[in-house]
Coordinates of all heavy atoms in Angstrom, one line a residue:
Chain I
G61 N 61.4 95.3 107.4 CA 60.3 95.0 106.3 C 60.8 94.8 105.0 O 60.0 94.4 104.1
V62 N 62.1 94.9 104.7 CA 62.8 94.6 103.5 C 63.3 93.3 103.4 O 64.0 92.9 104.3 CB 63.7 95.7 103.2 CG1 64.4 95.3 101.7 CG2 63.2 97.0 103.1
E63 N 62.9 92.4 102.5 CA 63.3 91.0 102.4 C 64.7 90.9 101.9 O 64.9 91.3 100.6 CB 62.3 90.2 101.6 CG 61.0 90.1 102.0 CD 60.0 89.4 101.1 OE1 60.3 88.2 100.7 OE2 59.1 90.0 100.6
K64 N 65.7 90.6 102.6 CA 67.1 90.5 102.0 C 67.3 89.5 101.1 O 68.3 89.5 100.3 CB 68.0 90.4 103.3 CG 67.8 89.1 104.0 CD 68.9 89.0 105.1 CE 68.8 87.8 105.9 NZ 69.8 87.7 107.0
D65 N 66.5 88.5 101.1 CA 66.7 87.3 100.0 C 66.0 87.8 98.6 O 66.2 87.1 97.7 CB 65.9 86.1 100.5 CG 66.8 85.5 101.8 OD1 67.9 85.7 101.9 OD2 66.1 84.8 102.7
K66 N 65.1 88.7 98.7 CA 64.4 89.2 97.5 C 65.3 90.3 96.8 O 65.5 90.3 95.7 CB 63.0 89.6 97.8 CG 62.6 90.4 96.6 CD 61.0 90.7 96.7 CE 60.3 89.5 96.1 NZ 60.5 89.2 94.7
F67 N 65.8 91.0 97.7 CA 66.7 92.3 97.3 C 68.0 92.0 97.7 O 68.6 92.4 98.7 CB 66.0 93.6 97.8 CG 64.7 93.8 97.5 CD1 63.6 93.6 98.3 CD2 64.3 94.4 96.3 CE1 62.3 93.9 98.0 CE2 63.1 94.6 95.8 CZ 61.9 94.4 96.7
L68 N 68.8 91.4 96.7 CA 70.2 91.1 97.0 C 71.0 92.3 96.7 O 71.0 92.8 95.5 CB 70.6 89.9 96.2 CG 69.8 88.6 96.5 CD1 70.4 87.5 95.6 CD2 69.9 88.2 97.9
I69 N 71.9 92.6 97.6 CA 72.8 93.9 97.4 C 74.2 93.3 97.5 O 74.7 92.6 98.4 CB 72.5 94.9 98.5 CG1 71.2 95.5 98.1 CG2 73.7 95.9 98.4 CD1 70.7 96.5 99.2
N70 N 75.0 93.7 96.6 CA 76.5 93.4 96.5 C 77.3 94.7 96.3 O 76.9 95.5 95.4 CB 76.8 92.5 95.4 CG 78.2 92.1 95.3 OD1 79.1 92.6 94.8 ND2 78.5 91.0 96.0
H71 N 78.3 94.9 97.2 CA 79.1 96.2 97.0 C 80.5 95.7 97.0 O 81.3 95.8 98.0 CB 78.8 97.0 98.3 CG 79.3 98.4 98.1 ND1 78.7 99.4 98.7 CD2 80.2 98.9 97.5 CE1 79.3 100.5 98.6 NE2 80.4 100.3 97.7
A72 N 81.0 95.1 95.8 CA 82.3 94.4 95.7 C 83.4 95.3 95.6 O 84.5 95.0 95.8 CB 82.2 93.5 94.6
S73 N 83.1 96.7 95.2 CA 84.2 97.6 95.0 C 83.9 98.9 95.6 O 82.7 99.2 96.0 CB 84.7 97.7 93.6 OG 83.7 98.6 92.9
L74 N 84.8 99.8 95.7 CA 84.5 101.1 96.3 C 83.7 102.0 95.4 O 83.4 103.2 95.6 CB 85.9 101.8 96.6 CG 86.6 101.3 97.8 CD1 87.9 101.9 98.0 CD2 85.8 101.4 99.1
T75 N 83.4 101.6 94.1 CA 82.7 102.5 93.2 C 81.5 101.8 92.6 O 80.7 102.3 91.7 CB 83.7 102.9 92.0 OG1 84.1 101.7 91.3 CG2 84.8 103.7 92.4
L76 N 81.1 100.5 93.0 CA 80.0 99.8 92.5 C 79.2 99.1 93.5 O 79.7 98.3 94.3 CB 80.5 98.9 91.3 CG 79.5 98.0 90.8 CD1 78.5 98.8 90.0 CD2 80.1 96.9 89.9
S77 N 77.9 99.3 93.5 CA 76.9 98.6 94.2 C 75.9 98.0 93.3 O 75.5 98.8 92.3 CB 76.3 99.3 95.4 OG 75.4 98.7 96.1
T78 N 75.5 96.9 93.5 CA 74.3 96.3 92.7 C 73.1 95.8 93.5 O 73.3 95.4 94.6 CB 74.8 95.1 91.7 OG1 75.3 94.0 92.7 CG2 75.9 95.6 90.8
L79 N 72.0 96.1 93.0 CA 70.7 95.6 93.8 C 70.1 94.6 92.6 O 69.7 95.0 91.6 CB 69.7 96.7 93.9 CG 68.3 96.4 94.4 CD1 68.4 95.7 95.7 CD2 67.4 97.7 94.3
T80 N 70.0 93.4 93.1 CA 69.2 92.3 92.3 C 68.0 92.0 93.0 O 67.8 91.6 94.1 CB 70.0 91.0 92.2 OG1 71.3 91.5 91.6 CG2 69.3 90.1 91.3
V81 N 66.8 92.2 92.1 CA 65.6 91.8 92.5 C 65.4 90.4 92.1 O 65.2 90.2 90.8 CB 64.4 92.9 91.9 CG1 63.0 92.5 92.4 CG2 64.8 94.4 92.3
T82 N 65.1 89.5 92.9 CA 65.1 88.2 92.6 C 63.5 87.6 92.6 O 62.7 88.2 93.3 CB 65.8 87.3 93.5 OG1 65.2 87.4 94.8 CG2 67.4 87.6 93.7
S83 N 63.4 86.7 91.6 CA 62.1 86.3 91.4 C 60.9 87.4 91.5 O 60.0 87.5 92.4 CB 61.8 85.1 92.5 OG 60.5 84.7 92.3
A84 N 61.1 88.2 90.6 CA 60.3 89.5 90.6 C 58.8 89.3 90.5 O 58.4 88.4 89.6 CB 60.8 90.5 89.6
H85 N 57.9 90.0 91.1 CA 56.6 90.0 90.9 C 56.1 91.3 90.7 O 56.7 92.3 90.9 CB 56.0 89.4 92.3 CG 56.2 87.9 92.5 ND1 57.2 87.5 93.3 CD2 55.6 86.8 91.9 CE1 57.2 86.1 93.3 NE2 56.3 85.8 92.5
P86 N 54.8 91.4 90.1 CA 54.2 92.7 89.9 C 54.2 93.8 91.0 O 54.5 95.0 90.7 CB 52.8 92.4 89.5 CG 52.9 91.1 88.8 CD 53.9 90.4 89.8
E87 N 54.0 93.4 92.2 CA 54.2 94.2 93.4 C 55.6 94.8 93.6 O 55.7 95.7 94.4 CB 53.8 93.6 94.6 CG 54.5 92.3 95.1 CD 53.9 91.0 94.5 OE1 53.1 91.1 93.5 OE2 53.9 90.1 95.2
D88 N 56.6 94.3 92.9 CA 58.0 94.9 92.9 C 58.1 95.9 92.1 O 59.2 96.6 92.1 CB 59.0 93.8 92.7 CG 58.9 92.6 93.8 OD1 58.6 92.9 94.8 OD2 59.2 91.5 93.3
S89 N 57.2 96.2 91.2 CA 57.3 97.3 90.2 C 57.3 98.6 91.0 O 56.5 98.8 91.9 CB 56.0 97.3 89.3 OG 56.0 96.1 88.4
S90 N 58.4 99.4 90.7 CA 58.6 100.7 91.4 C 59.8 101.4 90.8 O 60.3 101.0 89.8 CB 58.9 100.2 93.0 OG 58.8 101.4 93.8
F91 N 60.0 102.5 91.5 CA 61.3 103.3 91.0 C 62.3 103.1 92.0 O 62.1 103.3 93.2 CB 60.7 104.7 90.9 CG 61.7 105.7 90.3 CD1 62.2 105.5 88.9 CD2 62.3 106.8 90.9 CE1 63.1 106.3 88.3 CE2 63.2 107.6 90.3 CZ 63.5 107.4 89.0
Y92 N 63.4 102.6 91.6 CA 64.5 102.4 92.6 C 65.7 103.4 92.3 O 66.0 103.6 91.2 CB 65.0 101.0 92.4 CG 64.0 99.9 92.7 CD1 63.1 99.5 91.8 CD2 63.9 99.4 94.1 CE1 62.2 98.5 92.1 CE2 63.0 98.4 94.3 CZ 62.1 97.9 93.4 OH 61.2 97.0 93.8
I93 N 66.2 103.9 93.4 CA 67.3 105.0 93.3 C 68.3 104.7 94.2 O 68.0 104.3 95.3 CB 66.7 106.4 93.6 CG1 65.2 106.6 92.8 CG2 67.7 107.5 93.2 CD1 64.9 108.1 93.2
C94 N 69.5 104.9 93.8 CA 70.7 104.7 94.6 C 71.3 106.0 95.0 O 71.1 107.0 94.3 CB 71.7 103.8 94.0 SG 72.5 104.5 92.6
S95 N 72.1 106.0 96.0 CA 72.7 107.2 96.5 C 74.2 106.9 97.1 O 74.2 105.8 97.7 CB 71.9 107.9 97.5 OG 72.4 109.0 98.1
A96 N 75.0 107.9 97.1 CA 76.2 107.8 97.7 C 76.7 109.2 98.2 O 76.2 110.1 97.7 CB 77.3 107.1 96.7
R97 N 77.7 109.1 99.0 CA 78.2 110.4 99.7 C 79.8 110.4 99.5 O 80.2 109.3 99.9 CB 77.8 110.6 101.1 CG 78.3 111.7 101.8 CD 77.5 112.0 103.0 NE 78.3 113.1 103.8 CZ 79.0 112.9 104.9 NH1 79.2 111.7 105.3 NH2 79.5 113.9 105.5
D98 N 80.3 111.4 99.0 CA 81.6 111.5 98.9 C 82.1 112.0 100.2 O 82.0 113.3 100.5 CB 82.1 112.3 97.7 CG 83.5 112.4 97.5 OD1 84.3 111.9 98.5 OD2 84.0 113.2 96.6
S99 N 82.7 111.1 101.2 CA 83.0 111.7 102.5 C 84.2 112.6 102.4 O 84.5 113.3 103.4 CB 83.3 110.4 103.4 OG 84.4 109.7 102.8
G100 N 84.9 112.6 101.3 CA 86.0 113.4 101.2 C 85.6 114.9 100.8 O 86.5 115.9 100.9
R101 N 84.3 115.0 100.4 CA 83.9 116.4 100.1 C 82.5 116.7 100.7 O 81.5 116.5 100.2 CB 83.7 116.5 98.4 CG 85.2 116.4 97.9 CD 84.9 116.8 96.3 NE 84.4 115.6 95.6 CZ 84.3 115.4 94.4 NH1 84.7 116.5 93.6 NH2 83.9 114.5 93.7
D102 N 82.5 116.9 102.0 CA 81.4 116.9 102.8 C 80.3 118.0 102.3 O 79.2 117.8 102.5 CB 81.8 117.3 104.2 CG 80.6 117.0 105.2 OD1 80.0 115.9 104.9 OD2 80.4 117.8 106.0
T103 N 80.8 119.1 101.6 CA 79.9 120.0 101.2 C 79.0 119.6 100.1 O 78.0 120.4 99.8 CB 80.7 121.3 100.6 OG1 81.7 121.0 99.7 CG2 81.5 121.8 101.8
Y104 N 79.2 118.5 99.5 CA 78.3 118.0 98.4 C 77.1 117.3 99.0 O 76.2 117.0 98.1 CB 79.1 117.2 97.4 CG 80.1 118.0 96.5 CD1 81.4 117.9 96.4 CD2 79.6 119.0 95.8 CE1 82.2 118.5 95.6 CE2 80.3 119.8 95.0 CZ 81.7 119.4 94.9 OH 82.5 120.2 94.1
G105 N 77.2 116.8 100.1 CA 76.1 116.1 100.6 C 76.0 114.8 99.8 O 76.9 114.1 99.4
Y106 N 74.8 114.2 99.6 CA 74.4 113.1 99.1 C 74.1 113.3 97.7 O 73.4 114.3 97.4 CB 73.3 112.3 99.8 CG 73.7 111.7 101.1 CD1 73.9 112.5 102.3 CD2 73.8 110.2 101.2 CE1 74.2 111.9 103.3 CE2 74.2 109.8 102.4 CZ 74.5 110.5 103.5 OH 74.9 109.9 104.7
T107 N 74.6 112.4 96.8 CA 74.3 112.4 95.3 C 73.5 111.2 94.9 O 73.8 110.1 95.5 CB 75.7 112.5 94.5 OG1 76.4 113.6 95.0 CG2 75.4 112.6 93.1

Side-chain angles (χ1 to χ4, degrees):
Chain I
V62 177
E63 298 178 60
K64 62 180 181 181
D65 293 331
K66 166 167 272 298
F67 299 101
L68 299 180
I69 292 173
N70 182 275
H71 195 154
S73 77
L74 287 172
T75 59
L76 174 64
S77 175
T78 60
L79 168 67
T80 301
V81 182
T82 63
S83 186
H85 289 97
E87 58 264 30
D88 298 325
S89 298
S90 191
F91 192 61
Y92 295 86
I93 312 179
C94 69
S95 170
R97 176 170 171 254
D98 183 355
S99 57
R101 292 185 286 187
D102 196 42
T103 55
Y104 286 122
Y106 285 73
T107 302

